[in-house]
Amino acid sequence: QVILDVHSFFFVEGSGMRWKLNVDLRPVKGMEDTAPNSDAVSAWVCYNIVLEAAKILKEESCVQLLTPLIKELKPIVAEYYLFAAETV
């Protein structure tokens, strides 16, 4: 449930994940913009771990709710890795 509650505040569609927010969940002034980053990778990994646990525990509603969030992150994670590979 926590993932579902906070995802929309951290996720910036087509761009990445914010790594820091104010306590009221607004972006920190001067840090509104984001780009494909390791925070998106961390979110993708964590979401997939929770997804696999939900499958094991047969929590189908959790599986259905997490799957679209993971799909949202996939292209951002792929873009981050392409950028990282080019800089090596």
Side-chain angles (χ1 to χ4, degrees):
Q1 186 61 47
V2 173
I3 292 172
L4 298 173
D5 291 345
V6 301
H7 176 81
S8 64
F9 295 101
F10 285 90
F11 179 73
V12 179
E13 188 172 346
S15 184
M17 297 290 281
R18 292 188 176 97
W19 68 275
K20 190 171 190 174
L21 295 173
N22 287 302
V23 294
D24 62 0
L25 296 175
R26 286 182 300 125
V28 174
K29 187 175 181 177
M31 303 174 101
E32 298 88 356
D33 296 329
T34 187
N37 54 35
S38 63
D39 297 312
V41 176
S42 297
W44 185 82
V45 168
C46 291
Y47 290 12
N48 273 285
I49 291 169
V50 174
L51 177 68
E52 290 306 313
K55 288 177 181 177
I56 291 167
L57 297 171
K58 299 183 185 336
E59 295 287 341
E60 189 57 37
S61 62
C62 185
V63 171
Q64 291 175 356
L65 292 170
L66 281 172
T67 300
L69 303 182
I70 292 168
K71 286 182 181 178
E72 277 184 329
L73 287 169
K74 189 175 180 178
I76 295 166
V77 171
E79 187 175 342
Y80 173 74
Y81 275 109
L82 287 174
F83 173 78
E86 291 174 0
T87 61
V88 175

